[in-house]
Amino acid sequence: PNAITVHPWVNISAPELGSVCNSSGLQALPQGTPNGGYWEGPGVENNTFDPSSTGTGDFQLHYVYQSPEMCVFKASQTLTVFDAESVTLEEIGPFCTNSVGSSLVAYPVGGEWAGQGIDEDIFSPIDAGPGTHELTYTYGMSQGCPSNTTIEVLVYNIPEVSATQMSAVCVGTEGLELDFALPIGGEYWGTWIENNNFDVAASGSGYFELNYTYISPEGCTNSATIELEVLSLPSTNIGL
């Protein structure tokens, strides 16, 4: 009679695979026992698992070992693929360094913002300072599949505005053209001011606040203020 050879059994084991996110990229699969085996299953190629190719869910992967006697043994483990949820951010800006804070809006809600000038979900141009700032929103930490999405926010510096104090003038002086501030191209405003002229004839005597506002090409505003003194005319007594 023909002899039957029974080869020894090989104890084979595969480490637990846990879970990955579908945005995690290629995942090297761990070595099983004994060494020298290979992995097979959905999304597996050259002992590497591609979570983007399988979709989400539970997938059974097999560690395969072939003994010197050509006997094949398998051990299986389940790998779970979670979905990294898509995130949408609303663009904001540009701002000036004296702009008020702006709310940051992201969908889905519940994530965390990070970046220069951020306090919770408010962006402060004053705190951030001038320049281009990258703000990052992270969502999905609790699910183990964080999605990081960024926006760039531009903050312009406000223009430098300077003002020179004007000398006092007398009531009744012809219309006073205002030119005490730089850079030129802005607008003078205040009581008794029209078309960048101060109406000394109508103002009467006293102290008057003169304001100048300049808007930069980027749309940022800055102002300067001086105080102008208008003197009363001296009394004139004419003797008869």
Side-chain angles (χ1 to χ4, degrees), residues 165-170 204-208 210 227-231:
Q165 183 62 44
M166 297 180 65
S167 301
V169 296
C170 295
S205 62
Y207 290 90
F208 299 89
L210 310 183
E227 192 173 63
L228 175 67
E229 183 181 8
V230 179
L231 304 173

Side-chain angles (χ1 to χ4, degrees), residues 9-90:
W9 180 264
V10 174
N11 291 319
I12 184 171
S13 63
E16 292 185 1
L17 300 178
S19 62
V20 296
C21 304
N22 60 357
S23 60
S24 299
L26 297 177
Q27 303 291 305
L29 296 171
Q31 179 66 56
T33 303
N35 291 337
Y38 61 90
W39 286 93
E40 65 179 17
V44 175
E45 184 175 353
N46 296 326
N47 290 329
T48 300
F49 177 74
D50 183 4
S52 67
S53 68
T54 59
T56 59
D58 295 329
F59 301 93
Q60 193 171 68
L61 307 185
H62 310 285
Y63 180 71
V64 182
Y65 174 78
Q66 183 172 289
S67 70
E69 296 81 17
M70 306 303 288
C71 295
V72 176
F73 302 87
K74 291 185 179 182
S76 301
Q77 290 287 0
T78 298
L79 176 60
T80 302
V81 179
F82 291 113
D83 185 24
E85 190 163 355
S86 178
V87 171
T88 302
L89 308 182
E90 287 190 4

Side-chain angles (χ1 to χ4, degrees), residues 188-236:
Y188 293 92
W189 55 278
T191 306
W192 305 112
I193 295 176
E194 186 175 355
N195 296 326
N196 292 338
N197 285 270
F198 180 78
D199 190 349
V200 186
S203 68
S205 62
Y207 290 90
F208 299 89
E209 192 175 82
L210 310 183
N211 307 286
Y212 178 76
T213 298
Y214 177 80
I215 302 176
S216 70
E218 296 81 19
C220 297
T221 301
N222 200 3
S223 298
T225 300
I226 66 168
E227 192 173 63
L228 175 67
E229 183 181 8
V230 179
L231 304 173
S232 300
L233 292 175
S235 299
T236 303

Side-chain angles (χ1 to χ4, degrees), residues 110-145:
E112 295 184 0
W113 285 94
Q116 187 74 20
I118 291 179
D119 183 8
E120 294 185 355
D121 60 350
I122 301 295
F123 174 73
S124 171
I126 298 174
D127 294 335
T132 300
H133 303 280
E134 186 175 89
L135 310 184
T136 301
Y137 181 74
T138 301
Y139 179 80
M141 292 296 293
S142 60
Q143 296 87 349
C145 285

